[in-house]
């Protein structure tokens, strides 16, 4: 039978064979590729609000027909955006931090109303305000009438390093200072949101979890894109041969270049220490760089301790700012089983949108993907325009209801470890807080 089938197919005209191949691919695309995104979110005010106000979540995501593979999406998205998006003319502000370090805040406010909301954007591992995926979001925000400020980490964006300290995914001290500064700079009635991409999402997520009340005071809404939820699994995934490993080597090279650009400040400091700068500059993987430099610089005994501290998937319950997350099931930097779907389904303030395809910060769609209206940008714009403009006050009401549930859940968890009188006191405090929200 197999021989007969082989003989039949081998004698097919080439045009017929091509037609069969195209037909088979179309069937595969429609069944396996085009899917409605999964929304992992607890039943309640946040989920109801998202489905009511964000039509994109109701529709299937149609990846670019001829570019559905995860690594192809990742690379092509970067190439297209870098070639087609112009350089952004920001207003640069240098912010001096408490320890003497400096970061650059790049503002884009051209054409914005005085009361227009603002979105703070945190780039990825070695990204800065002119990175192609950042410009993609910046132009989307500008088109929606929102002002934008991009937070360039220490030593990035052309900023001279004033102290030996760089940055890491687990440390949100710099972000705390930046958020306070931006909040003070903006008009009182101007709402502030924040979005983090990849490692920027880790920094933002850790800020939301560790500085929960402070974050709620300063931020109205937050969003993270293509975040490596479990850094251990993400690190293992990016080192898989062959293509993943090549992407990882590219990022490791970018880290080494960042360090090389500020070599003078490190050469004398680490001359007689266990940190071997020349060896670090030869690192081939992100984990090797983190093991030899990042973990030691931030006081971790081992790189695994750093990765555990940076990981987000077990911190969702501490977040009380409405947080929308976008992840792709085929992200080469993060396996599907590391996305905390179960935790999000029990969390009051976190919703994770998971597309079947999209790669890492890719999410291309259309026959020939444009850079202006892609899935990632459309979701970004829909969420922040609804949450930050909030003309009918519906988002604020939903946020208050979410916070009531958050406090009730915290009360139950604390009551389980306390005696009955203490639990009664906590319940009374919760009721008083509800009255304040009303």
């Amino acid at each position: 039978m197999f021989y007969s089938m082989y003989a039949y197919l081998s004698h097919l005209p080439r045009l017929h064979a091509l037609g069969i191949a195209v037909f088979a691919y179309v069937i595969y695309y429609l069944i396996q590729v085009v899917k409605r995104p999964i929304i992992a979110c607890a039943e309640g005010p946040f989920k109801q609000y998202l489905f009511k106000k964000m039509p994109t979540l109701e529709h299937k995501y149609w990846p670019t027909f001829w570019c559905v593979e995860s690594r192809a999406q990742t690379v092509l998205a970067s190439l297209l955006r870098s070639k087609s998006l112009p350089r952004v003319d920001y207003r640069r502000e240098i912010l001096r931090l408490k320890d003497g370090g400096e970061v650059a805040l790049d503002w884009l406010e051209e054409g914005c109303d005085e009361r227009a909301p603002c979105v703070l954007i945190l780039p990825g591992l070695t990204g800065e305000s002119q990175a192609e995926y950042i410009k993609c979001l910046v132009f989307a925000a500008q088109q929606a009438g929102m002002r934008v400020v991009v937070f360039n980490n220490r030593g990035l964006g052309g900023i001279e390093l004033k102290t030996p300290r760089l940055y890491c995914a687990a440390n949100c001290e710099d972000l705390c200072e930046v958020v306070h500064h931006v909040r003070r700079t903006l008009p009182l009635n101007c709402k502030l949101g924040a979005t983090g991409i990849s490692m920027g999402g880790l920094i933002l997520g850790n800020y939301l979890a560790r500085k929960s009340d402070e974050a709620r005071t300063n931020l109205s809404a937050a969003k993270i894109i293509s975040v490596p939820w479990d850094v251990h699994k993400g690190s293992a995934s990016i080192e898989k041969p062959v293509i993943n490993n090549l992407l990882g080597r590219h990022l490791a090279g970018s880290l080494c270049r960042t360090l090389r650009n500020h070599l003078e400040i490190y050469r004398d400091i680490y001359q007689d220490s266990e940190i071997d700068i020349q060896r670090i500059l030869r690192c081939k993987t992100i984990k090797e760089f983190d093991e030899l430099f990042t973990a030691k610089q931030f006081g971790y005994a081992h790189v695994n301790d750093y990765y555990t501290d940076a990981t987000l998937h077990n911190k969702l319950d501490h977040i009380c700012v409405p947080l929308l997350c976008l992840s792709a099931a085929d992200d080469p930097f993060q396996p599907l089983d590391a996305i905390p779907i179960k935790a999000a389904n029990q969390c009051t303030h976190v919703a994770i949108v998971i597309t079947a395809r999209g790669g890492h910060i890719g999410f291309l769609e259309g026959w020939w993907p444009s850079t202006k209206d892609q899935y990632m940008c459309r979701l970004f714009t829909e969420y922040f325009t609804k949450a930050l403009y909030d003309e009918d006050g519906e988002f604020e009401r939903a946020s208050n209801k979410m916070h009531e549930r958050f406090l009730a859940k915290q009360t139950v968890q604390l009551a389980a470890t306390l005696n009955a009188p203490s639990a009664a006191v906590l319940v009374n405090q919760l009721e008083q807080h509800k009255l304040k929200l009303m």
Side-chain angles (χ1 to χ4, degrees):
M1 182 182 71
F2 290 108
Y3 176 78
S4 300
M5 185 177 296
Y6 171 77
Y8 171 74
L9 292 175
S10 62
H11 287 85
L12 272 179
R14 290 183 179 180
L15 192 60
H16 290 187
L18 179 61
I20 292 173
V22 170
F23 178 76
Y25 182 75
V26 169
I27 297 300
Y28 164 78
Y29 177 80
L30 294 175
I31 294 176
Q32 294 294 328
V33 177
V34 179
K35 294 179 181 294
R36 184 176 285 107
I38 296 171
I39 315 298
C41 183
E43 296 295 334
F46 195 27
K47 191 172 187 177
Q48 292 167 8
Y49 181 87
L50 291 175
F51 277 112
K52 182 178 180 181
K53 295 290 188 176
M54 297 185 63
T56 297
L57 298 180
E58 296 281 7
H59 301 142
K60 292 180 178 181
Y61 167 52
W62 294 72
T64 296
F65 183 76
W66 47 270
C67 182
V68 299
E69 202 275 332
S70 62
R71 280 73 58 94
Q73 277 256 342
T74 301
V75 174
L76 183 65
S78 178
L79 290 174
L80 285 177
R81 291 165 186 159
S82 63
K83 296 295 183 183
S84 59
L85 292 174
R87 184 176 179 84
V88 183
D89 186 18
Y90 295 104
R91 173 178 66 83
R92 171 152 290 192
E93 178 186 11
I94 305 299
L95 177 63
R96 188 172 179 82
L97 303 172
K98 292 177 181 178
D99 68 348
E102 289 182 350
V103 297
L105 301 179
D106 287 336
W107 295 79
L108 186 65
E109 304 167 293
E110 185 180 348
C112 291
D113 184 82
E114 185 179 321
R115 294 172 295 176
C118 180
V119 180
L120 172 65
I121 301 181
L122 286 73
L125 186 63
T126 58
E128 39 79 40
S129 57
Q130 296 294 347
E132 77 286 340
Y133 59 91
I134 297 298
K135 292 191 291 185
C136 186
L137 297 176
V138 166
F139 285 127
Q142 184 187 40
Q143 191 171 9
M146 294 182 285
R147 50 165 62 95
V148 175
V149 54
V150 183
F151 167 29
N152 297 278
N153 279 305
R154 302 185 190 213
L156 296 178
I159 292 298
E160 183 182 347
L161 200 62
K162 298 294 185 180
T163 68
R165 173 178 154 181
L166 276 173
Y167 55 90
C168 81
N171 189 286
C172 58
E173 293 174 5
D174 290 357
L175 178 58
C176 288
E177 293 191 53
V178 168
V179 169
H180 280 294
H181 173 77
V182 172
R183 182 67 274 174
R184 288 193 305 267
T185 303
L186 295 172
L188 289 175
N189 58 355
C190 175
K191 292 184 178 180
L192 177 62
T195 188
I197 301 90
S198 193
M199 194 199 76
L202 283 174
I203 296 173
L204 177 59
N206 278 299
Y207 169 73
L208 296 175
R210 292 172 180 167
K211 305 288 184 179
S212 186
D213 292 335
E214 176 186 315
R216 177 175 165 78
T217 301
N218 292 306
L219 300 176
S220 298
K223 187 174 189 291
I224 57 179
I225 300 169
S226 294
V227 66
W229 291 100
D230 185 328
V231 184
H232 296 283
K233 291 185 177 181
S235 174
S237 180
I238 198 61
E239 291 184 10
K240 289 182 178 178
V242 171
I243 302 178
N244 284 21
N245 185 256
L246 290 175
L247 293 173
R249 282 173 172 258
H250 173 72
L251 288 174
S254 297
L255 285 169
C256 292
R257 282 192 296 274
T258 299
L259 186 59
R260 189 176 288 109
N261 289 339
H262 307 284
L263 202 55
E264 290 302 320
I265 199 168
Y266 288 107
R267 185 176 283 115
D268 295 336
I269 293 174
Y270 296 131
Q271 187 172 5
D272 299 319
S273 73
E274 61 176 1
I275 296 181
D276 185 347
I277 293 295
Q278 293 306 316
R279 183 185 174 193
I280 295 169
L281 293 175
R282 296 193 297 270
C283 287
K284 300 300 182 184
T285 67
I286 298 172
K287 187 169 184 177
E288 185 183 8
F289 183 92
D290 287 337
E291 181 180 7
L292 296 176
F293 183 75
T294 311
K296 292 180 179 179
Q297 191 178 48
F298 283 87
Y300 294 99
H302 192 274
V303 66
N304 288 334
D305 299 325
Y306 163 45
Y307 283 178
T308 298
D309 198 26
T311 287
L312 275 184
H313 74 281
N314 56 352
K315 299 173 184 172
L316 302 189
D317 274 344
H318 301 291
I319 295 174
C320 65
V321 172
L323 174 64
L324 181 66
C325 314
L326 175 61
S327 293
D330 66 347
D331 190 334
F333 289 16
Q334 184 68 103
L336 176 60
D337 64 0
I339 301 176
I341 296 174
K342 184 176 180 180
N345 281 329
Q346 300 172 350
C347 189
T348 57
H349 285 76
V350 178
I352 306 178
V353 178
I354 307 160
T355 59
R357 304 299 174 107
H360 187 71
I361 326 177
F363 304 103
L364 296 175
E365 58 186 351
W367 285 100
W368 179 254
S370 70
T371 54
K372 294 182 179 179
D373 185 30
Q374 291 300 301
Y375 192 87
M376 179 178 77
C377 296
R378 189 162 63 255
L379 208 64
F380 168 87
T381 305
E382 273 188 14
Y383 178 60
F384 281 118
T385 51
K386 297 294 190 302
L388 299 183
Y389 282 105
D390 195 25
E391 295 174 353
D392 56 4
E394 190 171 351
F395 185 79
E396 185 175 357
R397 290 191 295 272
S399 181
N400 287 338
K401 290 179 182 177
M402 291 154 60
H403 197 55
E404 288 178 16
R405 289 190 171 206
F406 174 81
L407 292 173
K409 189 174 181 180
Q410 296 283 62
T411 301
V412 170
Q413 291 173 348
L414 287 172
T417 60
L418 298 172
N419 54 35
S422 298
V425 171
L426 287 171
V427 172
N428 184 52
Q429 291 175 346
L430 174 62
E431 292 300 324
Q432 292 177 358
H433 185 81
K434 285 183 180 180
L435 291 174
K436 293 179 182 179
L437 293 175
M438 295 175 65

